[in-house]
Amino acid sequence: MTLTVLLLSLLASLTFGLPIAYGLLASSLLVIVLFAPGVSLGMLTQTLTTANDSFPIMAVPFFILAGLIMGRGGISKRLFDTANAFVGHIPGGVGVAAVLTAMFFSAISGSGPATVAAVGGIMIPEMVRVGYSRKFSAALIAAAGTIGVVIPPSIPLVVFGVVTGTSIGDLFLAAVLPGILMGLVLIAWAIWHARTHGVGGTGRSTWKERLSALNRAKGGLLLPVIILGGIYGGIFTPTEAAVIAVVYGVVLALLVYREMRLRDLLETFVNATLTTSALMFIVAAAAIFGRILTIENAPETIVAVLTAISDNPVVIILLVNLLLLLLGTFMETIAAVTITAPILVPVLSLAGLDPVHIGVLIIVVLSFGFITPPLGVNLFIAAGVAKVRTGEAIVAVAPGFVLLVAVGLIVSFVPALSMFLVGS
């Protein structure tokens, strides 16, 4: 009964448009008042405070800041020019370049919406120029933005690692191949669409032009190497890597590319602070919601319900995928990870999955919520940039959504895809 009231009240609050953090707090307080009056308010305030009092989770604001700096500092334009120089000449090559750029920028920002916002304004007009429709351009960029929370450094993976005590370095490594597979599937979609709709390419670049583009973008291309190489080489932690990314980004934007001024940098810091504050508030509110779930033995209850339906690992994994797909449509990814991770790790462990694999599975499937209404943040941003109606973008993104769901199932049922690099 308690669990039902908790979940229904949360769903009701979100249905009526209450912000996710307030909805989590309101549903938690309602259950405390009705069923657990002995829970002290001191415990709640302590949970709110300690939820963000973690060294690993400090990586979140720094990766957000690094992504904003690199986007404002001209890195996305240089990445696109480089990708376009190599593949732009093939039919639909600009779409391929757009996906490749989103993948590279994902390895800088760690955020889906940030990826769409940073690269959409450059790539969507270019895609339209070569013959892609505005609605398909918006759909492709929105779908490519889902990779932003999968390819490391992924902010949701950091949160999963903090919540479950799983190695963030292993999670980053495990997410590389699934993220690349998502990109390859979207590239195939872009090429197929181009060939069936007569979309051409740009002129073929000479090798001199390609090398010149590579040289202009080398600063941005090196950043993922520095971040991931430093982490896996044992030189610094993910949190320290995030700080290094910020410093590197500032030097690149101010001194090398010179596309930012000090005033722009201050504005970027303010925007990063606002974004981080909202995310951290959601994490804190989700921690209280998670504490109530723990008090009410929700993990054990859900495990019992799923095993009562079936003890077949295939069925359990499919049910979890369905749950995550539904959850991703209306709940912000950080909140969803904070709430579901402690519950789903024991559930999927029954199916024989490793916690690192579970973390990647959860993030990959939840990422699809960025292109599905009513949340659909990536889709709304891309539709706004492309100047198309949201309804048109939703219809256009449907094939990409189906392809990504297929990738999610491959990630779920082929553990070697996630664990190959971890075990090497």
Side-chain angles (χ1 to χ4, degrees):
M1 178 63 180
T2 305
L3 184 59
T4 302
V5 171
L6 181 66
L7 298 178
L8 288 179
S9 60
L10 174 62
L11 182 61
S13 65
L14 297 178
T15 302
F16 286 107
L18 199 65
I20 179 66
Y22 295 135
L24 291 167
L25 288 175
S27 56
S28 300
L29 289 174
L30 177 63
V31 166
I32 289 173
V33 170
L34 294 178
F35 303 105
V39 175
S40 68
L41 294 178
M43 184 273 288
L44 298 183
T45 56
Q46 184 180 26
T47 301
L48 278 171
T49 303
T50 57
N52 292 320
D53 185 16
S54 165
F55 181 73
I57 210 168
M58 286 176 61
V60 173
F62 285 111
F63 276 131
I64 290 174
L65 179 57
L68 291 176
I69 291 172
M70 300 299 279
R72 186 74 175 269
I75 182 63
S76 53
K77 177 67 167 64
R78 286 170 171 80
L79 289 175
F80 176 72
D81 288 344
T82 301
N84 196 45
F86 281 88
V87 300
H89 62 280
I90 66 175
V94 174
V96 176
V99 176
L100 290 173
T101 306
M103 292 173 68
F104 272 107
F105 196 84
S106 297
I108 296 171
S109 69
S111 166
T115 298
V116 175
V119 302
I122 298 168
M123 294 179 229
I124 289 177
E126 192 68 19
M127 290 178 66
V128 173
R129 187 182 68 81
V130 299
Y132 282 108
S133 66
R134 287 188 174 274
K135 59 184 181 181
F136 178 81
S137 300
L140 182 66
I141 297 302
T146 61
I147 306 172
V149 296
V150 178
I151 286 185
S154 160
I155 293 171
L157 280 176
V158 173
V159 175
F160 179 90
V162 171
V163 171
T164 63
T166 307
S167 166
I168 295 174
D170 285 348
L171 288 167
F172 280 3
L173 205 58
V176 171
L177 293 182
I180 291 174
L181 180 60
M182 292 171 69
L184 292 176
V185 165
L186 294 178
I187 285 173
W189 181 36
I191 294 174
W192 174 84
H193 182 91
R195 289 182 175 175
T196 55
H197 291 79
V199 178
T202 58
R204 183 185 293 271
S205 299
T206 65
W207 275 104
K208 182 178 180 180
E209 291 171 332
R210 291 172 178 174
L211 293 175
S212 177
L214 271 174
N215 184 59
R216 291 193 301 271
K218 64 184 178 183
L221 293 172
L222 279 175
L223 184 55
V225 177
I226 294 172
I227 293 174
L228 301 180
I231 292 172
Y232 302 130
I235 301 172
F236 38 71
T237 66
T239 302
E240 292 165 344
V243 177
I244 290 171
V246 170
V247 175
Y248 182 87
V250 169
V251 172
L252 205 61
L254 289 180
L255 304 179
V256 180
Y257 293 161
R258 298 183 179 179
E259 294 198 15
M260 285 186 74
R261 297 170 297 175
L262 285 175
R263 186 174 70 179
D264 299 326
L265 183 62
L266 292 175
E267 184 180 332
T268 303
F269 270 78
V270 171
N271 292 335
T273 301
L274 294 175
T275 302
T276 299
S277 299
L279 284 178
M280 292 300 97
F281 186 32
I282 291 173
V283 170
I288 288 183
F289 190 88
R291 179 66 65 89
I292 302 302
L293 288 174
T294 301
I295 292 174
E296 297 301 324
N297 296 317
E300 292 82 356
T301 302
I302 293 175
V303 169
V305 169
L306 288 177
T307 52
I309 295 174
S310 174
D311 59 359
N312 188 319
V314 173
V315 175
I316 292 176
I317 293 173
L318 287 174
L319 288 173
V320 168
N321 271 266
L322 180 60
L323 172 65
L324 291 171
L325 279 173
L326 294 175
L327 199 61
T329 62
F330 67 87
M331 184 172 288
E332 200 277 334
T333 307
I334 299 295
V337 170
T338 307
I339 293 170
T340 60
I343 297 173
L344 295 184
V345 167
V347 170
L348 291 173
S349 294
L350 291 176
L353 274 58
D354 184 274
V356 173
H357 178 203
I358 294 171
V360 175
L361 183 162
I362 290 175
I363 303 307
V364 167
V365 180
L366 283 176
S367 73
F368 307 152
F370 284 110
I371 56 173
T372 54
L375 190 62
V377 181
N378 285 10
L379 198 62
F380 298 144
I381 294 174
V385 173
K387 295 180 174 59
V388 298
R389 291 194 298 271
T390 304
E392 292 179 320
I394 291 173
V395 173
V397 85
F401 173 76
V402 172
L403 291 172
L404 289 174
V405 169
V407 172
L409 291 174
I410 292 173
V411 172
S412 300
F413 289 104
V414 184
L417 182 66
S418 300
M419 304 303 294
F420 176 74
L421 294 178
V422 178
S424 62

